[in-house]
């Protein structure tokens, strides 16, 4: 999938705003060697740098990395696959915010992170958890099916694991999970009744492969109508995000 890094920065800056509290969970100590995987356009990588860490960022998207390099030229950013990366020197911590739900190969991520850490190093992350944007996904599926787009309706765009599932994978790899939480976080959408359409354009385009622009416009309107009773609170629209956060230590 191709990312629009400008739209991401302009309309979806809440991703890094909410991520700030994940940075707190990371509890950076000055001088630590930290890797931010799925760093997007680098805002949180930069925050981690400002806390005194020697930080690098990676992302699967070349567009995101180009933007990150442009915004933060003193940070080392590289294109890499979170499910199959290797590092030259082991890190004190690996961090990730709002990225790992794009990677279906969770075992590959967890193995790569484990091997990238020093013994005692930590993996601190937040991602979409089980049930994340459940109403949005159900509405997309319903509308695609109603219009005969059965294959598109079955598209598995994201991986949203339960706490038990992801903790088990971490433990199987040899991590000790010292903290894990699966919680609701209603997330504001910008631009009122256009918010769902903009969110889908940015993140959910894969569902509409092979659907013409004109039809897509109509389907997205129907999806918005289905969501309105749940998402529109007096003109402010919210998506039903559910987050999974954890700290796992390499033993
Ligand atoms: C999330 O942060 O939960 C998310 C973002 C984009 C697409 C899907 C989920």
């Amino acid at each position: 999938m191709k990312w629009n890094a400008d739209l991401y920065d302009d309309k979806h800056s809440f991703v890094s705003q909410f991520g700030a509290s994940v940075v707190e969970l990371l509890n950076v100590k000055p001088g630590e060697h930290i890797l931010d995987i799925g760093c997007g356009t680098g805002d949180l990588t930069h925050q981690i740098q400002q806390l005194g860490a020697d930080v690098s960022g990676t992302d699967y998207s070349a567009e995101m990395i180009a933007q990150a390099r442009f915004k933060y030229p003193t940070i080392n950013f590289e294109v890499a696959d979170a499910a199959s990366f290797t590092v030259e020197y082991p890190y004190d911590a690996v961090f990730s915010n709002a990225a790992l739900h794009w990677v279906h190969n969770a075992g590959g991520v967890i193995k790569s992170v484990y091997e990238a850490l020093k013994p005692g190093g930590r993996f601190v992350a937040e991602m979409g958890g089980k049930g994340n944007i459940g109403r949005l996904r159900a509405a997309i599926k319903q509308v695609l099916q109603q219009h005969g787009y059965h294959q598109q309706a079955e598209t598995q765009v994201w991986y949203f694991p339960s706490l038990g599932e992801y903790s088990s994978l971490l433990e199987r790899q040899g991590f000790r999970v010292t903290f894990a939480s699966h919680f609701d976080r209603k997330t504001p959408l910008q631009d009122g009744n256009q918010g769902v359409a903009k969110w889908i354009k940015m993140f959910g385009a894969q569902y509409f492969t092979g659907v013409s622009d004109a039809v897509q416009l109509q389907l997205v309107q129907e999806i918005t109508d289905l969501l309105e009773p749940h998402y529109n609170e007096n003109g402010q629209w919210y998506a039903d995000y559910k987050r999974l956060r954890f700290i796992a230590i390499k033993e």
Side-chain angles (χ1 to χ4, degrees), residues 136 139-140 143 196 200 208 219-227:
L136 178 54
I140 294 174
V143 169
V196 168
I200 290 175
F208 298 91
L219 302 196
V220 169
Q221 185 55 54
E222 289 179 30
I223 292 163
T224 301
D225 293 343
L226 278 177
L227 288 170

Side-chain angles (χ1 to χ4, degrees), residues 3 14-15 98-99 101-102 127-129 132-133 158 160 199 203 241-243:
W3 282 93
F14 65 79
V15 175
H101 44 250
W102 291 103
M127 63 193 290
N132 196 38
I133 47 167
W158 304 289
F160 296 135
W199 193 98
F203 299 119
Y241 275 43
K242 288 185 173 53
R243 318 312 291 162

